[in-house]
Amino acid sequence: MAQRGIREYDAKRMLANYLKDNLPEIAFEFKGVLVTPETDWDVLVKENPWLTTEKLVAKPDQLFGKRGKHGLVLVNASLDEVKAWIGERMNKDVTIGQVTNELNCFLVEPCVPHEKEYYLAMTTEREGDKIFISAHGGVDIEEVWDTVNEVFIPILAKENIEEKIAQAIPEEIEDKEAVTRLVKALYDFFVDYHFTYLEFNPFVLEGNKFFPLDAVARLDDTAQFECVEKWGDLTFPTPFGRKSTPEEAYVKQLDAKSGSSMKLTVLNPKGRIWTMVAGGGASVVYTDTISDLGGAQELGNYGEYSGNPTTDETYEYAKTLLDLMTREKDPQGRPKVLIIGGGIANFTDVAKTFDGIVKALEDYTEKLKAVNAKIFVRRGGPNYEKGLAKIKDAGERLGLSIEVYGPEAHMTRVVKLALEEQAA
């Protein structure tokens, strides 16, 4: 499971769609727009006329918290005030804690006057899910954490959830029945949409109207194949303080133009262990195993390719990785290690994708030899025998050190072999 943060805008957008169908007695009409450097204000106002008739709230929407404490929330403002406020901050650097980055995405919503505000958070852990609720929402929730009640829902014991929630509703909350129904619906949303963390701090419930004033959300991105329709037009923004490398940007372009999936995050450009893994689930298994075996600090990248990419797409992805891996030798003269892996594919043509990988190996043969590269391959699925034969032949023909394994070898076994080589 790879937890990835999403924008507050997207969390609220998805929630509004869910509650409309699953808890119609609670009204949540989400009004919100994102403002970026490319935004045309005239077009935005024309498409969202409420911007000119309501008092507004504006804040950055870039995966960092404590925006109020850093003076990055504008409240009860007119459209002209919002435009001026955002204009003063757009494309400007700001430091949050020890992280500095540029502001380039703002969320604008209607301002909601209110008296009482509450706190709600949900998180998933190995043994189950936890729900946290308090009658004291706001920016200083940590300072009043003793007011937070907790509900634990074991992973294999999903009965009586609403009863457990009802028992945890704080005494200070007046309409306990309505809040119980709301929290249960929000938990169902949390589970159904594969969130790993979801927080509303604060949220307001006035009569039958629900207002999540602030939201923090992370999704399990390995569920994307299952939730693509539910999530809608969703992108995972780069975490605040981390700028995309040219290679990450290039792979993102490949991904956007393809019906397949290609992802790349550069963790350590000087790393000795690199992976080219087919499948989101497999990428998590490989990365976790590398970390468990002590290779986390040496890991150069995280990513995956899946969805039956073409030979050309696989080639472009593979050569991007090989270029990163071979730019410089290890200072201690140790070999670089590349793990080309995956589970047992359902419909990806292994031979076709391996044609692209072989082509990239041919292009980078001399550079791979220069860093004393050791390559370990493990794959199964349609035409895997043909694909493995091709890459084994390429190793012999090109004079590269390539060990090839089929589905008879466990994925984690191949990682262990590779890391033993890496330690040599």
Side-chain angles (χ1 to χ4, degrees):
M1 177 173 65
Q3 300 187 33
R4 300 184 67 181
I6 63 173
R7 298 197 191 279
E8 180 178 349
Y9 171 88
D10 285 313
K12 292 179 177 179
R13 170 184 59 79
M14 290 190 287
L15 177 58
N17 291 333
Y18 181 85
L19 290 181
K20 180 177 60 177
D21 295 330
N22 293 278
L23 193 67
E25 65 267 30
I26 297 293
F28 171 40
E29 180 186 4
F30 174 54
K31 294 180 181 178
V33 295
L34 290 179
V35 178
T36 68
E38 293 76 33
T39 296
D40 184 321
W41 281 101
D42 291 337
V43 173
L44 195 67
V45 171
K46 184 177 180 180
E47 294 177 348
N48 302 274
W50 54 266
L51 288 167
T52 62
T53 60
E54 301 192 36
K55 287 294 185 178
L56 306 172
V57 173
K59 52 190 171 182
D61 194 356
Q62 294 182 229
L63 309 191
F64 67 87
K66 305 299 181 185
R67 291 168 291 187
K69 286 193 171 182
H70 288 87
L72 292 174
V73 179
L74 178 67
V75 179
N76 199 32
S78 67
L79 176 61
D80 287 340
E81 290 171 329
V82 166
K83 291 168 67 174
W85 187 84
I86 292 178
E88 292 171 359
R89 291 159 180 77
M90 184 69 77
N91 296 329
K92 301 293 195 309
D93 283 347
V94 63
T95 299
I96 307 296
Q98 298 181 350
V99 178
T100 299
N101 203 2
E102 180 184 272
L103 297 178
N104 54 31
C105 185
F106 292 81
L107 173 62
V108 181
E109 302 174 283
C111 185
V112 180
H114 60 278
E115 295 182 2
K116 297 180 180 179
E117 54 186 32
Y118 309 126
Y119 172 83
L120 178 68
M122 303 174 188
T123 186
T124 186
E125 300 177 355
R126 181 179 296 273
E127 302 299 328
D129 301 327
K130 289 183 177 179
I131 302 173
F132 303 92
I133 185 166
S134 171
H136 302 275
V139 294
D140 295 317
I141 185 64
E142 296 86 356
E143 298 178 13
V144 292
W145 194 252
D146 59 331
T147 70
V148 177
N149 293 338
E150 177 182 322
V151 180
F152 178 65
I153 303 172
I155 194 168
L156 296 178
K158 299 288 188 180
E159 63 274 2
N160 302 322
I161 295 176
E162 190 161 341
E163 180 180 336
K164 293 178 180 179
I165 292 172
Q167 293 172 356
I169 301 299
E171 291 295 329
E172 300 96 314
I173 294 179
E174 295 177 357
D175 194 346
K176 292 185 178 182
E177 184 178 341
V179 173
T180 298
R181 291 198 309 273
L182 173 63
V183 173
K184 174 59 166 59
L186 294 176
Y187 176 70
D188 291 341
F189 168 68
F190 174 85
V191 173
D192 193 29
Y193 279 58
H194 289 264
F195 284 90
T196 61
Y197 184 79
L198 184 62
E199 178 186 77
F200 300 111
N201 183 31
F203 76 89
V204 173
L205 184 63
E206 295 185 347
N208 71 328
K209 294 184 178 180
F210 171 56
F211 302 98
L213 302 185
D214 197 8
V216 178
R218 293 193 294 270
L219 289 168
D220 173 6
D221 73 348
T222 61
Q224 189 163 13
F225 75 98
E226 180 181 345
C227 296
V228 61
E229 292 186 6
K230 298 175 183 177
W231 291 356
D233 186 14
L234 177 68
T235 58
F236 292 101
T238 302
F240 185 77
R242 188 183 182 281
K243 297 183 179 179
S244 295
T245 68
E247 294 78 19
E248 290 169 340
Y250 180 62
V251 170
K252 188 174 182 179
Q253 289 179 357
L254 291 177
D255 181 71
K257 296 176 182 177
S258 172
S260 303
S261 173
M262 284 167 282
K263 303 292 187 293
L264 173 64
T265 299
V266 179
L267 302 174
N268 177 8
K270 299 180 183 294
R272 291 182 58 215
I273 307 168
W274 295 79
T275 64
M276 182 172 176
V277 180
S283 68
V284 176
V285 172
Y286 276 88
T287 301
D288 283 352
T289 304
I290 291 170
S291 299
D292 289 345
L293 294 176
Q297 297 303 315
E298 298 278 10
L299 185 59
N301 71 297
Y302 173 78
E304 59 100 4
Y305 69 103
S306 59
N308 200 26
T310 66
T311 297
D312 287 343
E313 290 170 342
T314 310
Y315 165 69
E316 292 296 329
Y317 185 81
K319 75 175 186 178
T320 302
L321 281 177
L322 296 181
D323 184 61
L324 284 164
M325 174 182 170
T326 60
R327 285 182 182 174
E328 53 186 280
K329 298 180 180 179
D330 178 69
Q332 300 177 40
R334 298 169 297 177
K336 294 286 186 81
V337 172
L338 173 64
I339 301 172
I340 300 174
I344 300 176
N346 293 319
F347 61 90
T348 293
D349 188 328
V350 175
K352 182 177 67 176
T353 57
F354 273 30
D355 282 339
I357 295 174
V358 168
K359 184 179 178 182
L361 292 174
E362 291 171 345
D363 288 355
Y364 281 83
T365 297
E366 297 307 316
K367 290 185 176 181
L368 287 165
K369 290 179 179 179
V371 298
N372 192 22
K374 309 294 182 182
I375 302 172
F376 294 80
V377 181
R378 190 272 187 188
R379 197 70 169 104
N383 292 323
Y384 83 89
E385 298 99 334
K386 186 177 179 180
L388 294 179
K390 286 182 178 182
I391 207 161
K392 184 175 182 179
D393 175 71
E396 295 172 353
R397 174 168 50 86
L398 301 172
L400 295 172
S401 175
I402 303 180
E403 294 188 22
V404 177
Y405 301 89
E408 74 282 352
H410 196 276
M411 288 190 291
T412 56
R413 171 62 179 162
V414 174
V415 174
K416 188 174 187 295
L417 292 171
L419 264 64
E420 288 173 350
E421 182 67 43
Q422 186 265 352

